[in-house]
Amino acid sequence: MVRLAAHQGIGIVPQGGNTSYCAAATPDASGRQIIVSLERMDRIREVDPVAMSISVDAGAILKNVQDAAATAGLLLPLSLGAEGSCRIGGNIGTNAGGLSVVKYGMTRDLLLGIEAVLSDGTVVSDMRKLRKNNTGYDIKQCFVGSEGTLGIVTGAVLRLAPLPIRRATGWLKLAMGAPLAELLTLVRRESTDLLTMFEFMTARSIALASEAMTNPPSVGAGAGGTVLAELTSSSRHLDLDGLMEAVLAEAIESGWIEDAFLAQSGSQRSARETIPEGEKRRNGSVKQSSRLAGTVV
């Protein structure tokens, strides 16, 4: 099909979960483009607990891949608000980040292998699970963030991690002018790099999120905004709440935060993901894309 489209000069627009705010998966008005949906290519091909990897079709929904990994006692670290409907191919095409970048990196850092169809119909297949691999060019990385301009991703091998069984989430009300970089360094150092999430939100963003939530957080933002910080561990022996409290006490002594709480509800932890909905209720928000929609493959 790709070869035929190329021969006829017809553009191809790959589509995954259609969760993007940037319309990058939307064809233009020329009438010379076709949509290729990956939604039916949704197999979980293999979970390998020894190699700590998972092989999937590009149309697999992120949440389903997370669940398959969790069933094997492992974690797919990629986590974002649209995980219930976004698909792995789209995550690769946009180099999705999500909540856990501070510890696990972007999608680029989780990708071990790839399968893709180029514009002439050639299938590139490099679905290896190796982590220590220095053989030649790293072709798979060319497709990360390419948004379908180099080919259509049809499969991927993703890196997994031990499944966290304990977590401590801190809600930090920042003082005006709090040095975020120094605060991040403090939390990472004193938590022995157990920090998984460190999300800054302005006071206005918290207000917008609260308007959109049926169960908004009971604590607001500080004068300098809010940081949501989370420690996680796969060990049964670590007291993460006590560690988080000690780190927050040191930050308060430094004058960087006005007050801090351990998050007691899911609404506090999910506040970040509700900000775009709150923005839309206030007449929309501005997003950006790294390319024009409908680029010919």
Side-chain angles (χ1 to χ4, degrees):
M1 185 275 298
V2 173
R3 283 196 298 268
L4 180 61
H7 180 72
Q8 298 295 327
I10 296 173
I12 295 177
V13 182
Q15 277 192 359
N18 285 310
T19 60
S20 171
Y21 288 102
C22 306
T26 304
D28 63 24
S30 68
R32 297 290 299 171
Q33 295 182 332
I34 59 174
I35 291 172
V36 175
S37 172
L38 279 295
E39 65 178 10
R40 293 175 65 183
M41 295 185 65
D42 60 355
R43 289 180 303 142
I44 306 295
R45 302 186 188 182
E46 181 190 24
V47 181
D48 188 336
V50 176
M52 297 183 70
S53 68
I54 187 166
S55 304
V56 300
D57 284 354
I61 293 174
L62 175 56
K63 183 64 167 63
N64 294 344
V65 181
Q66 293 172 341
D67 291 345
T71 300
L74 296 168
L75 170 74
L76 176 62
L78 183 62
S79 177
L80 50 149
E83 61 193 27
S85 51
C86 69
R87 298 175 187 268
I88 295 299
N91 298 147
I92 294 171
T94 58
N95 192 23
L99 295 171
S100 303
V101 169
V102 68
K103 182 171 185 178
Y104 298 106
M106 307 281 285
T107 298
R108 181 182 304 282
D109 302 294
L110 302 176
L111 188 64
L112 296 175
I114 203 165
E115 176 187 86
V117 181
L118 304 183
S119 60
D120 64 352
T122 301
V123 177
V124 174
S125 183
D126 184 11
M127 294 285 283
R128 286 176 289 186
K129 311 170 191 176
L130 292 175
R131 301 194 184 206
K132 187 175 182 180
N133 181 4
N134 61 354
T135 54
Y137 296 104
D138 195 357
I139 299 299
K140 65 180 181 293
Q141 291 296 337
C142 295
F143 293 92
V144 181
S146 66
E147 299 193 46
T149 56
L150 299 182
I152 301 175
V153 176
T154 54
V157 183
L158 301 169
R159 176 171 62 90
L160 302 179
L163 184 68
I165 59 174
R166 292 193 177 189
R167 67 179 69 244
T169 307
W171 183 278
L172 287 58
K173 299 174 69 173
L174 298 177
M176 184 63 70
L180 286 174
E182 287 86 344
L183 179 58
L184 172 60
T185 300
L186 169 68
V187 177
R188 293 189 73 170
R189 183 184 67 243
E190 298 302 324
S191 68
T192 65
D193 210 20
L194 293 173
L195 184 67
T196 302
M197 178 172 63
F198 189 91
E199 294 284 334
F200 168 71
M201 295 167 281
T202 65
R204 177 168 174 76
S205 294
I206 294 297
L208 290 173
S210 297
E211 291 177 8
M213 299 174 76
T214 56
N215 183 28
S218 57
V219 291
T226 296
V227 162
L228 198 61
E230 184 169 84
L231 309 180
T232 62
S233 174
S234 59
S235 171
R236 302 185 306 273
H237 306 295
L238 296 179
D239 178 13
L240 293 190
D241 285 349
L243 179 58
M244 175 67 84
E245 290 173 355
V247 172
L248 296 184
E250 186 169 342
I252 291 175
E253 290 177 4
S254 299
W256 296 344
I257 57 178
E258 299 173 351
D259 204 353
F261 309 88
L262 290 182
Q264 300 298 319
S265 69
S267 63
Q268 293 175 355
R269 189 173 185 274
S270 61
R272 170 194 187 271
E273 301 300 337
T274 319
I275 292 173
E277 183 180 346
E279 292 174 335
K280 289 169 68 175
R281 294 191 181 195
R282 287 289 192 94
N283 300 319
S285 59
V286 176
K287 305 294 179 184
Q288 70 179 34
S289 175
S290 60
R291 70 173 181 92
L292 297 176
T295 301
V296 176
V297 173

